[in-house]
Amino acid sequence: MRDASLVKLIKQAGLDAPLAQLLDAPSMQRVIEALRNDPDEIQARLRARRDRAFDEIIRAPEPRIAEDEDFEHDEIEVDANNVHIADRLAKVVPPEFREHLIQEKVTGLLVKYINGNQEEIRRILSQSGDKFYREIKGRFQSEIRGVPDIDASSWKLRDKKTGEKTEPNLMQRYIAAKIKRNRSWCNWSKTGAGKTGSAGLASYVIKSRLTVVLCPNPTVDQWVEELTLTFHNCRAVKSTSEVKRGKGSFLVLNYEKFQRDKTSDALVDGIVALRPDLVVLDEVQLVKHREKGRSSIRRGAIEAMLARLPKSRVLGMTATPVINELREGVSLLEVVTRKRHDLRTRRRGDGAVMDALNLHFAFMQNGLRYSPQYKQALSIKVQAVNDDSLLPLLQTVATSTPDVLSIERTLLPVKLDAVRESITPGTVIYLEYVEGLVPVVRRFVESLGLNVGEYIGGTTSLERQNFKNQFLSGEVDVLIGSRAIGLGVDGLQRRCNKLIILSLPWTHAAFEQVIGRMYRQGSTFAEVEVLIPQVVVSLRGERWSWDEARYSVIEHKKTLSDAAADGYVPTAENVSRNEFATKAMDALKLMVS
């Protein structure tokens, strides 16, 4: 089983405390590690403890699921042996958990299929087996039925290097097949997988006379351009007044149009009157509840629109279904499927981890999470920058009310100086925080004789698009980007293969979204380099680094959002950003006291 299923099984069976006591393991992560790597030792300990009273073990404290230390996530892939796990456990697990196991294996087979491992799949499914093995086999065969035969005659995209016509990949064909059979589906595939192409292909396959695409404002023109380049007889427009129903008709609108009280109702009425056959919600995490139990104007308008379009199919797309809280994931599932999902969304403790894993299974049941196999290499270089002269400044920050922004501002000049030689034409510089940081970065880069553009939240969509185009054409040497650049922006991979991250995102999912702007299909480079400077200060043999701590959260996929999206079991509880800053400053105070 994958980590997510194994933890769920152990908790449901009440074996967490006995196993932790048996294995001297303080956390479920260590229990998993022992189960995976040292079964002989487990057997030996069981034999040695047979005379122990069972109630002594039961009274042992329950292990934490989360543990704040490094843990490798070597996920188990479906193979000829473990494909039978549902049958082996059929008599000792509840039906709900058995269903999780079946879905886990079907999803694993789908990923192998999309990656082209057809011979391996044939070996896995050519065995004899019991009821649930046959169920897995049947479901998988049903899932891929018709995928190779998807009509791709509408596809005209050509390779930018060779000029030769390309073909839609198996992920794109699969999504089209699912939309043909289902009223709703989600594409959770990671950045650069070709989600836009999958939506367009689905539209043609279902013979849509009008497809409405809702997306972030900066990507409206990108959608229009990509649809036009990829499909024959495509007519993509940006206004309801320009729509003409017919083959290849697309209406591309930005979400912001749905958050204006006075105009959103009229817009909804106009779209409903057009009777779209397919509605695509790109970056669907933007259609979420603003607060618990309270809808934003945007979400309310879109929900009202979909309720009035019961015959329209809905495709939700995002690589990051959860950014901050689990209820975001439940919220977007409900808007796409147009039905309630009874899932808990606690924020802390083992209960929150179990809620995240349950949400992960719900994501699997309602969509596909696919990680593309990129042709180019990815090189992530962490550069330690030792500068003890920062200690007085950091002490000043620590003695005030520490916040993330003040720490980032203090460390920024040292990081810039460290990466000076790496800032060359064609570089993207990323900042999670921009206030008081962007001007510093801009002045520094300009002092190197380079032209600078900005793709950040504070600039207008038109300005961002202009800077992006100038960067791609070579008029701008360096592009400074913030979170805005992570939302579906395409094209940077054709000019850039170097990303410098001066202020890190908070989750592994958000980190992947940022590097996915360059590390994606269509890159013209053999390697993509990500440079992350990390400031380190030392005193009397002790060291402290805000950047190392931040990167540790990303590197080890520690957060609930990672658990929900990929089924990883977090190795630390979610900590708010201000709490993270307070703990970091407290550690610094102890070091200098």
Side-chain angles (χ1 to χ4, degrees):
M1 285 177 280
R2 297 177 67 233
D3 287 359
S5 298
L6 187 53
V7 167
K8 190 172 177 68
L9 174 64
I10 292 169
K11 292 288 287 184
Q12 284 188 338
L15 289 170
D16 42 347
L19 281 171
Q21 207 271 355
L22 177 72
L23 302 171
D24 298 324
S27 73
M28 286 292 288
Q29 289 287 10
R30 296 303 151 194
V31 169
I32 291 173
E33 191 173 43
L35 289 171
R36 294 255 192 259
N37 302 326
D38 209 353
D40 292 339
E41 174 66 17
I42 293 171
Q43 293 292 341
R45 291 190 180 209
L46 282 169
R47 284 193 296 270
R49 297 192 183 196
R50 278 177 182 165
D51 58 337
R52 293 279 298 278
F54 186 65
D55 60 353
E56 287 183 42
I57 298 177
I58 287 296
R59 286 199 301 270
E62 290 188 6
R64 301 183 306 277
I65 288 182
E67 179 179 29
D68 194 11
E69 57 182 83
D70 297 352
F71 187 86
E72 294 299 323
H73 294 277
D74 295 324
E75 288 295 342
I76 304 299
E77 293 187 8
V78 60
D79 57 32
N81 179 23
N82 66 36
V83 74
H84 298 281
I85 189 90
D87 288 299
R88 292 175 188 150
L89 296 176
K91 295 180 180 179
V92 294
V93 298
E96 177 193 338
F97 185 76
R98 191 173 61 228
E99 175 60 29
H100 287 334
L101 291 176
I102 292 170
Q103 183 63 53
E104 176 186 287
K105 300 310 174 191
V106 172
T107 300
L109 288 168
L110 273 173
V111 171
K112 285 185 181 296
Y113 173 78
I114 292 170
N115 283 333
N117 300 328
Q118 320 307 11
E119 182 58 31
E120 187 178 356
I121 291 173
R122 190 194 64 77
R123 288 196 302 271
I124 293 171
L125 298 182
S126 62
Q127 312 169 73
S128 59
D130 294 328
K131 176 181 177 180
F132 297 113
Y133 167 77
R134 295 194 299 271
E135 173 74 10
I136 291 167
K137 181 176 180 178
R139 281 200 206 178
F140 169 72
Q141 290 172 336
S142 175
E143 285 291 300
I144 65 169
R145 188 172 295 121
V147 172
D149 304 319
I150 283 291
D151 180 7
S153 58
S154 60
W155 191 275
K156 70 173 184 179
L157 187 65
R158 294 185 176 274
D159 186 279
K160 289 183 171 65
K161 285 185 179 179
T162 65
E164 296 179 0
K165 184 182 176 182
T166 65
E167 292 292 335
N169 60 39
L170 283 173
M171 181 277 286
Q172 293 164 328
R173 291 175 183 269
Y174 170 76
I175 294 296
K178 288 298 291 188
I179 287 296
K180 188 176 182 180
R181 295 196 293 263
N182 291 28
R183 282 288 165 195
S184 65
W185 194 246
C186 295
N187 191 344
W188 314 120
S189 297
K190 294 189 178 181
T191 54
K195 291 192 289 295
T196 302
S198 76
L201 183 62
S203 174
Y204 281 87
V205 165
I206 66 170
K207 296 181 170 54
S208 172
R209 306 293 288 175
L210 173 64
T211 294
V212 172
V213 177
L214 307 184
C215 62
N217 196 30
T219 63
V220 169
D221 290 333
Q222 184 176 296
W223 263 94
V224 171
E225 179 184 0
E226 192 163 340
L227 288 170
T228 305
L229 287 173
T230 306
F231 298 99
H232 291 293
N233 303 314
C234 173
R235 187 174 189 275
V237 299
K238 298 183 287 185
S239 169
T240 54
S241 62
E242 300 177 74
V243 171
K244 292 182 180 179
R245 282 181 58 84
K247 180 181 179 181
S249 179
F250 292 84
L251 170 61
V252 185
L253 300 172
N254 74 74
Y255 286 120
E256 293 175 13
K257 290 182 179 292
F258 291 86
Q259 58 193 43
R260 302 166 190 163
D261 280 316
K262 296 180 180 179
T263 59
S264 60
D265 288 346
L267 178 60
V268 168
D269 290 341
I271 293 173
V272 170
L274 290 168
R275 295 173 288 113
D277 298 301
L278 174 64
V279 177
V280 178
L281 304 176
D282 185 30
E283 301 295 350
V284 65
Q285 76 275 12
L286 298 177
V287 189
K288 63 188 179 185
H289 284 302
R290 187 172 56 195
E291 296 175 12
K292 189 174 183 181
R294 181 182 172 192
S295 291
S296 64
I297 296 172
R298 173 192 299 179
R299 181 185 175 89
I302 292 172
E303 281 185 319
M305 180 187 76
L306 294 176
R308 294 169 61 187
L309 295 170
K311 294 184 179 179
S312 300
R313 287 170 165 78
V314 181
L315 174 61
M317 305 199 309
T318 179
T320 52
V322 177
I323 301 293
N324 298 307
E325 297 180 59
L326 297 180
R327 63 184 174 86
E328 296 174 358
V330 179
S331 177
L332 66 86
L333 265 181
E334 291 180 340
V335 77
V336 174
T337 62
R338 291 178 280 196
K339 63 182 181 182
R340 178 173 171 75
H341 290 260
D342 190 20
L343 294 165
R344 299 187 68 179
T345 56
R346 286 166 287 187
R347 296 186 180 188
R348 294 289 180 87
D350 287 1
V353 176
M354 297 307 296
D355 292 348
L357 298 181
N358 287 332
L359 179 57
H360 170 67
F361 289 122
F363 284 155
M364 282 200 299
Q365 290 167 342
N366 291 278
L368 174 73
R369 176 75 159 176
Y370 172 64
S371 300
Q373 296 180 315
Y374 303 109
K375 294 180 181 178
Q376 66 270 37
L378 176 65
S379 172
I380 298 178
K381 299 177 180 178
V382 177
Q383 179 181 344
V385 185
N386 296 292
D387 193 335
D388 297 343
S389 67
L390 275 177
L391 266 172
L393 280 174
L394 288 169
Q395 282 180 276
T396 301
V397 174
T399 54
S400 63
T401 303
D403 64 90
V404 175
L405 192 56
S406 61
I407 299 170
E408 295 281 6
R409 286 173 175 171
T410 303
L411 300 175
L412 181 62
V414 175
K415 294 182 191 178
L416 280 169
D417 197 53
V419 299
R420 177 189 297 270
E421 301 299 323
S422 298
I423 303 175
T424 55
T427 298
V428 170
I429 296 176
Y430 180 81
L431 293 164
E432 178 73 3
Y433 293 91
V434 297
E435 186 181 344
L437 278 72
V438 170
V440 176
V441 175
R442 171 181 274 280
R443 287 194 297 269
F444 184 87
V445 175
E446 287 175 340
S447 74
L448 302 177
L450 300 172
N451 296 324
V452 184
E454 296 177 10
Y455 201 105
I456 62 175
T459 53
T460 66
S461 297
L462 181 60
E463 287 176 312
R464 288 197 293 263
Q465 189 61 33
N466 287 339
F467 276 132
K468 174 192 165 184
N469 292 338
Q470 290 169 4
F471 178 70
L472 294 179
S473 68
E475 295 175 65
V476 164
D477 298 314
V478 175
L479 192 64
I480 302 171
S482 67
R483 295 176 202 173
I485 210 169
L487 287 175
V489 176
D490 193 18
L492 298 180
Q493 72 273 22
R494 296 195 291 274
R495 169 93 200 280
C496 172
N497 72 327
K498 185 188 293 179
L499 170 67
I500 299 175
I501 301 180
L502 295 176
S503 172
L504 283 161
W506 282 93
T507 67
H508 183 265
F511 177 75
E512 283 195 323
Q513 197 172 45
V514 172
I515 65 175
R517 299 309 105 209
M518 278 61 71
Y519 185 55
R520 63 196 291 118
Q521 296 183 66
S523 173
T524 57
F525 302 94
E527 181 182 66
V528 173
E529 178 185 353
V530 180
L531 182 60
I532 307 171
Q534 297 184 339
V535 177
V536 179
V537 296
S538 303
L539 183 67
R540 296 187 294 271
E542 292 187 66
R543 55 184 277 127
W544 178 91
S545 176
W546 163 262
D547 300 304
E548 285 181 354
R550 286 280 308 278
Y551 187 59
S552 175
V553 174
I554 291 170
E555 188 178 26
H556 301 292
K557 306 176 181 65
K558 289 185 174 183
T559 65
L560 290 177
S561 61
D562 301 315
D566 292 301
Y568 295 125
V569 181
T571 56
E573 290 190 354
N574 269 23
V575 177
S576 76
R577 294 163 194 190
N578 285 336
E579 284 180 311
F580 193 96
T582 299
K583 288 183 177 182
M585 291 296 105
D586 286 346
L588 183 67
K589 289 176 189 175
L590 285 173
M591 187 178 84
V592 299
S593 61

